[in-house]
Amino acid sequence: MYKSLVFISLGFIAILPNCSQLIVTQSPPPNSMNTTFASGSIAELEKAVNQQINQYRASKKLPPLTVDPRISQIARIHSENMASGKVKFSHDGFEGRAKAITVPYQSVAENVAYNMGFSDPVRNAVEGWIKSEGHRKNIESQFNLTGIAIAKNAKGEYYFTQLFVRSR
């Protein structure tokens, strides 16, 4: 898999192409995970992702996604790991994240993005997902729950993970 970079003014955004990974299996028993909470500004950005995704879904006559904090915590770990360099910017480990979801589900998918240098990093990530066929497919699919997490590293890079879940 490769990164596609779009250079715009003073920033950049990277979106992994063809990211329509779906799992159609029941999740295993819950895993215990440490809970951490985002800072106020990151929490506001995460809310903005949900609002923009739901505005787009509404424009397509789709119901809104409900943020589930348990799913967001799983997304948070991946975003923080990418931001810290513990894992590369990728979907590596997606199946493990899907298995960690404690909500009984029919399917799950994931979008990731990173960018830096934008005054509105959320809008750039969401617009990048919408312009990408695989990411847009995830956004437009029949999911009802989501988990969203953003991590920012010392270099000013924002790492986004959004998990989409269709609960049973």
Side-chain angles (χ1 to χ4, degrees), residues 3 19 22 26-27 29 38 40 42 47-48 67 76 96 98 111 116 124 131 142 153:
K3 296 179 194 174
C19 298
L22 297 176
Q26 172 62 42
S27 59
I42 292 293
K47 285 181 186 178
V67 175
R76 180 160 328 289
N111 285 353
M116 69 179 292
N124 283 283
K131 291 176 185 174
Q142 295 302 311
N153 65 19

Side-chain angles (χ1 to χ4, degrees), residues 25-123:
T25 58
Q26 172 62 42
S27 59
N31 292 349
S32 63
M33 303 181 80
N34 294 330
T35 302
T36 59
F37 297 97
S39 68
S41 61
I42 292 293
E44 290 170 14
L45 294 175
E46 292 165 350
K47 285 181 186 178
V49 170
N50 189 52
Q51 290 169 346
Q52 290 179 27
I53 292 293
N54 280 337
Q55 286 172 353
Y56 177 80
R57 286 176 60 88
S59 77
K60 300 297 182 186
K61 310 255 187 278
L62 296 168
L65 299 171
T66 300
V67 175
D68 184 298
R70 299 165 295 182
I71 300 168
S72 291
Q73 178 57 24
I74 295 164
R76 180 160 328 289
I77 292 166
H78 187 53
S79 289
E80 289 175 353
N81 285 342
M82 289 188 296
S84 71
K86 185 174 180 181
V87 301
K88 65 183 180 175
F89 171 64
S90 71
H91 291 289
D92 291 355
F94 170 70
E95 289 184 18
R97 287 186 292 285
K99 288 177 183 176
I101 295 171
T102 59
V103 176
Y105 65 83
Q106 295 177 3
S107 59
V108 61
E110 174 181 79
N111 285 353
V112 298
Y114 82 92
N115 65 51
M116 69 179 292
F118 291 106
S119 61
D120 189 348
V122 169
R123 181 156 308 282

